[in-house]
Amino acid sequence: MNEDHYIKKIDRVTSILTQLQTKSIVRAQDLADKFDVSIRTIYRDIKTLENAGIPVFGEAGSGYSLVDGYKLPPVMFTKEEVLSFITAEKLMQKFSHESLDSHYNSAMEKVKAVIRNSEKNMVQNIENQIDIYTHRPEKPDAIKNIIPTILESIAEKNQLKIHYQNVKDEASERIIEAVGIFYEVNYWYMMAFCTMRKDFRQFRIDRILKIEKTKNQFLQNYGNIADYRKKSDEKKVQIKLLVEKKIMPHIVNSKIYYGLTAEEETENGMLMTFETEWIDEGFPRWLITFLDFAEILEPKYLKDTMNGLMNKISNNLNKK
């Protein structure tokens, strides 16, 4: 066997060891898929680790793990991995939730502590050469450590009691079962089953005024948050607009935020399709900023809403 084969084997065995360090159970089939090799090759790699004195526990066909309590020296990182950490740290500074910042900073300090001196110098030299430009809302959350609280409730399957303020500044108390969190257009949201509504709802995290874990557990396994995001999309209203091409550069950023799903260039303009839950307030108020360059094709309900909004604006302008 050639030298390249041995290098690949060493890299693969090292990666398998890292997987064993970071996961409680590692399946042979998952490793085979990850490294694009046969399961028999993975069995031989596991045997290589065992022969090197690594206490791997498990059986072929089920899963492998390191014997509980076994400690390994700190993992050393390659230069490329260190550079990816620096970039990820910049992204976290811009996009992470404030309740996660201190925890991530603490984790990064531990990572930097095991970096070789040559890489430490590189980190110092390159950190100021990377920046991320984005808009973040200035309004701070009312609750410290809110996202860790939500994630703990998911892991422990405990219901949460929250005081929530909606877009109309109306506050209510809810008992919810959290499914997951997601980030969308400058805000963090929580997807959860609301026991009051008997349905799934999404809550903007900065509108939660109070949160506490209850002792009430829930048995339902909700699965992946992406599945519930798709269900949420099914409840949205579809809107079709015909928009003059000359106004397109002025809405290029906001159109995604307001639910653009498709656009098609036609002889008469851009045919734009949206899906939104904001049919009563948010979408109409955005649309009014360029309505003189757009035609509402559907639904008729939106035309009625826009006429009502325009009449209200006209009445306010004509007041003496």
Side-chain angles (χ1 to χ4, degrees):
M1 295 185 182
N2 59 34
E3 182 180 351
D4 184 58
H5 170 82
Y6 285 114
I7 292 174
K8 287 182 178 179
K9 179 180 175 66
I10 291 170
D11 288 343
R12 189 174 62 250
V13 170
T14 302
S15 295
I16 290 173
L17 180 55
T18 301
Q19 294 286 307
L20 290 168
Q21 288 182 264
T22 56
K23 297 180 180 179
S24 55
I25 295 289
V26 180
R27 294 176 60 248
Q29 184 61 61
D30 293 338
L31 292 172
D33 293 341
K34 178 179 177 64
F35 299 110
D36 194 23
V37 296
S38 68
I39 292 183
R40 286 183 176 275
T41 298
I42 296 299
Y43 293 160
R44 289 195 292 268
D45 291 341
I46 294 294
K47 191 66 178 177
T48 298
L49 288 171
E50 292 174 338
N51 291 338
I54 306 297
V56 180
F57 174 80
E59 296 180 356
S62 56
Y64 298 99
S65 62
L66 290 178
V67 172
D68 192 31
Y70 180 73
K71 301 294 183 182
L72 286 167
V75 175
M76 300 306 294
F77 300 107
T78 66
K79 181 165 57 177
E80 291 77 14
E81 289 169 338
V82 173
L83 289 171
S84 72
F85 288 145
I86 300 171
T87 307
E89 185 175 24
K90 293 293 182 177
L91 286 168
M92 283 292 291
Q93 289 169 359
K94 297 294 184 180
F95 290 102
S96 78
H97 190 269
E98 59 184 331
S99 65
L100 299 174
D101 287 346
S102 61
H103 303 290
Y104 182 78
N105 291 337
S106 175
M108 279 303 299
E109 287 176 0
K110 293 176 182 178
V111 169
K112 291 177 181 178
V114 299
I115 292 175
R116 292 188 293 265
N117 286 333
S118 58
E119 269 72 37
K120 288 179 182 177
N121 293 332
M122 181 182 65
V123 168
Q124 293 175 354
N125 293 333
I126 208 72
E127 277 182 323
N128 294 329
Q129 309 309 123
I130 303 173
D131 206 348
I132 310 293
Y133 296 99
T134 184
H135 167 72
R136 289 186 66 179
E138 295 182 0
K139 178 185 174 184
D141 290 330
I143 307 160
K144 184 179 180 181
N145 233 32
I146 185 169
I147 284 187
T149 300
I150 294 170
L151 297 178
E152 285 173 12
S153 79
I154 296 172
E156 297 168 3
K157 286 184 169 291
N158 283 105
Q159 291 182 335
L160 291 169
K161 180 164 72 173
I162 65 171
H163 290 263
Y164 187 73
Q165 187 176 53
N166 64 20
V167 68
K168 298 179 181 179
D169 292 333
E170 299 167 340
S172 61
E173 184 178 284
R174 310 282 187 97
I175 301 295
I176 63 170
E177 299 175 357
V179 174
I181 61 173
F182 63 94
Y183 183 86
E184 185 176 68
V185 195
N186 294 321
Y187 290 100
W188 281 94
Y189 294 84
M190 169 175 56
M191 181 67 71
F193 179 79
C194 177
T195 60
M196 181 175 73
R197 303 294 185 190
K198 303 297 182 186
D199 200 0
F200 293 93
R201 293 287 189 272
Q202 62 184 48
F203 301 91
R204 214 173 82 182
I205 285 177
D206 65 310
R207 289 184 180 149
I208 298 175
L209 305 177
K210 185 178 179 182
I211 187 170
E212 61 178 288
K213 286 192 295 182
T214 72
K215 294 182 180 180
N216 302 324
Q217 289 202 302
F218 58 90
L219 301 177
Q220 180 68 36
N221 290 316
Y222 288 116
N224 297 328
I225 186 174
D227 298 333
Y228 295 90
R229 292 280 291 135
K230 292 175 184 176
K231 291 179 183 178
S232 174
D233 289 344
E234 292 173 2
K235 300 174 184 177
K236 294 179 179 180
V237 176
Q238 186 179 85
I239 296 170
K240 287 187 179 293
L241 305 176
L242 187 62
V243 181
E244 293 184 29
K245 296 177 185 178
K246 63 183 178 182
I247 200 65
M248 293 300 294
H250 299 282
I251 62 172
V252 66
N253 294 320
S254 56
K255 64 184 181 182
I256 302 297
Y257 178 74
Y258 285 95
L260 180 74
T261 58
E263 61 182 12
E264 177 186 350
E265 187 172 353
T266 71
E267 292 181 359
N268 298 320
M270 296 297 294
L271 177 60
M272 305 180 72
T273 303
F274 297 84
E275 290 184 357
T276 181
E277 296 174 344
W278 305 338
I279 189 67
D280 294 315
E281 283 289 335
F283 194 93
R285 295 189 181 280
W286 172 66
L287 177 56
I288 206 169
T289 63
F290 63 97
L291 188 57
D292 49 335
F293 297 99
E295 177 187 354
I296 300 171
L297 302 180
E298 61 179 67
K300 182 180 181 301
Y301 172 74
L302 181 58
K303 293 183 180 181
D304 298 337
T305 300
M306 298 306 297
N307 281 325
L309 185 57
M310 293 293 291
N311 288 335
K312 184 176 181 180
I313 292 172
S314 179
N315 291 336
N316 287 340
L317 289 173
N318 292 324
K319 283 182 180 179
K320 295 183 179 179

